[in-house]
Amino acid sequence: QVQLVESGGGLVQAGGSLRLSCAASGRTFSGYAMGWFRQAPGKEREFVATISWNAAATTYADSVKGRFTISRDFAKNTVSLQMNSLKPEDTAVYYCAARSGRLNVSPRAYDYWGQGTQVTVSS
């Protein structure tokens, strides 16, 4: 069993930056693809970014491409999401997720989820 805990959310003005972190316990991330997803009130959970088990491959949603960067620290068993040039439409609860195997853009493909961290971008 893998437990994930997100941190780093908060309130930021449009154009600003935040860095989210996801810490794992119970297992290392060896062999696990990781993903970031977000969900705004009244909307479906949507894909943001994903990274392969060895960080050799990444995929981003079109809405965040060029602004967000996903990375992982193998020694600390953490995955981060650097968010730059934030927009009000980025406001959501952000979740990290893990799956054993290949990276995937569908939330239904992930087995383990964190509790989420709130990101609010003011205009």
Side-chain angles (χ1 to χ4, degrees):
Q1 189 73 21
V2 176
Q3 293 181 323
L4 306 172
V5 180
E6 303 95 335
S7 62
L11 175 64
V12 65
Q13 290 185 317
S17 298
L18 282 174
R19 187 176 180 88
L20 306 183
S21 181
C22 176
S25 63
R27 285 183 175 271
T28 69
F29 282 116
S30 179
Y32 285 81
M34 299 294 300
W36 283 97
F37 298 81
R38 65 188 183 187
Q39 188 167 22
K43 295 186 177 182
E44 298 293 323
R45 188 167 299 186
E46 66 174 351
F47 166 74
V48 176
T50 185
I51 187 168
S52 62
W53 71 274
N54 61 353
T58 58
T59 302
Y60 297 91
D62 289 341
S63 60
V64 307
K65 192 173 298 182
R67 299 188 297 121
F68 291 11
T69 303
I70 187 171
S71 62
R72 62 195 305 168
D73 187 324
F74 299 99
K76 296 182 178 179
N77 293 145
T78 59
V79 178
S80 296
L81 184 69
Q82 179 65 45
M83 305 184 294
N84 298 327
S85 301
L86 283 162
K87 305 174 180 179
E89 49 264 47
D90 294 320
T91 296
V93 176
Y94 283 70
Y95 299 89
C96 64
R99 70 184 303 271
S100 180
R102 191 181 181 276
L103 56 80
N104 197 291
V105 303
S106 174
R108 289 172 290 188
Y110 288 79
D111 301 312
Y112 306 102
W113 293 85
Q115 292 295 105
T117 185
Q118 177 70 49
V119 172
T120 303
V121 184
S122 62
S123 60

